[in-house]
Amino acid sequence: MRGGRGQERAITGNRQTSWALADAYGAELVESAESEALRWARARAQEAGLRSVSPATGAALRLLAATAGAKAVAEIGTGTGVSGLHLLHGMRPDGVLTTVDIDPERQQFAREAFRAAGFVGSGGNRVRFIPGRALDVLPRLADGGYDLVFCDGDRLEFLDYLDESLRLLREGGLICFAGVFAEGRIGDAAAQPLEVLRLRELLRTVRESTVLVPSLLPVGDGLLCAVKRTE
């Protein structure tokens, strides 16, 4: 076999360069349109030690919400509002984001960011905040009532979110999971923590599903997306 390890290293290097380019391109797109509210929300997340979606992931979420013509979106993991702002910018002007988080203080930060961006306040209210554990809240949401479900909560619960999301989504709706690369550990065979094992199971389950059309996008820390098939 010709090439060997040198060729493998070159291919790996090229892929890493391509992923970096995709992230940089997404960052440039978002930076050119990034509002003061989004910068503020990202700063609050950094101060609190919370992970928030990368600019490239945010650009992808805007695109997906716009492509789906999303009017109703469910978000698991409000954080300080970074991902929610991206989703709202991609949704229809009359769309409503339902966002769930176990931490009311984080949701208060998000509320301020959404208000600064004009999504909450006197001009109308396009965000519904629900405090609580996602697996307690999701069963109360309407069957088939959502165009897109975005999951950025507890990675150990992602498989449970998948089950609930399939019920929540309309046919042709989208589900997205953030952070599925687990800071690069997902491709490391030696990495065996429970979080990584659960993420590998999620990837396998989505790939083998007969009701989903999936794709794994190499933006940020990995964005797993799938469309619910139309019967």
Side-chain angles (χ1 to χ4, degrees), residues 49-173:
L50 298 174
R51 66 175 188 263
S52 57
V53 297
S54 73
T57 303
L61 291 175
R62 291 189 188 204
L63 171 68
L64 293 169
T67 300
K71 184 175 181 180
V73 173
E75 177 187 45
I76 303 169
T78 309
T80 58
V82 176
S83 54
L85 286 168
H86 286 297
L87 289 165
L88 284 160
H89 280 297
M91 293 167 63
R92 288 170 43 172
D94 58 345
V96 174
L97 172 71
T98 297
T99 185
V100 180
D101 201 291
I102 199 169
D103 189 332
E105 185 177 348
R106 296 177 192 172
Q107 288 195 321
Q108 187 57 39
F109 281 131
R111 188 186 301 275
E112 292 181 35
F114 295 151
R115 182 179 293 112
F119 295 119
V120 172
S122 58
N125 192 347
R126 293 186 51 198
V127 185
R128 178 170 62 146
F129 294 93
I130 305 180
R133 181 171 173 261
L135 294 179
D136 295 331
V137 172
L138 296 177
R140 307 202 303 262
L141 302 183
D143 292 6
Y146 294 85
D147 305 300
L148 190 154
V149 178
F150 175 60
C151 305
D152 193 21
D154 187 343
R155 292 171 179 170
L156 294 176
E157 297 180 343
F158 271 13
L159 273 169
D160 300 307
Y161 298 164
L162 174 62
D163 290 339
E164 286 294 332
S165 297
L166 289 175
R167 178 184 60 80
L168 296 177
L169 283 174
R170 62 166 173 81
E171 291 183 0

